[in-house]
Amino acid sequence: MGALPKKKISKRRRGNRRAHSAINSRQMSRCDNCNSLLPSHRTCPVCGHYRSKEIYEMDQPKVKFR
Ligand SMILES: [Zn+2]
């Protein structure tokens, strides 16, 4: 047997520990070129620009939005 907890952690204690572990929504910013809302550090899915430089043209198949 591996290491086991000595005592059961109560619901209150477990909840208190998890109080800070919620996932926050992504940091959003505006595109320099078309002013649309997008997650920061990502190429714009609307116009294909990143930091006012064109990365890909929009008639090409779109790079998957991540
Ligand atoms: Zn854009």
Side-chain angles (χ1 to χ4, degrees), residues 31 33-36 44 46-49:
C31 176
N33 190 55
C34 68
N35 210 36
S36 65
C44 178
V46 181
C47 64
H49 280 64

Side-chain angles (χ1 to χ4, degrees), residues 5-59:
K6 210 161 204 172
K7 281 187 175 134
K8 176 181 176 176
I9 291 176
S10 67
K11 288 172 192 172
R12 178 176 174 168
R13 195 162 181 169
R14 190 224 302 139
N16 279 342
R17 184 179 65 230
R18 293 178 185 174
H20 301 281
S21 50
I23 300 168
N24 301 114
S25 59
R26 283 193 135 193
Q27 185 70 46
M28 300 299 263
S29 60
R30 292 259 173 208
C31 176
D32 287 333
N33 190 55
C34 68
N35 210 36
S36 65
L37 203 63
L38 68 143
S40 46
H41 309 108
R42 297 283 167 224
T43 311
C44 178
V46 181
C47 64
H49 280 64
Y50 182 68
R51 296 184 64 185
S52 30
K53 280 181 192 158
E54 192 170 11
I55 305 297
Y56 57 89
E57 286 168 32
M58 286 320 287
D59 51 315

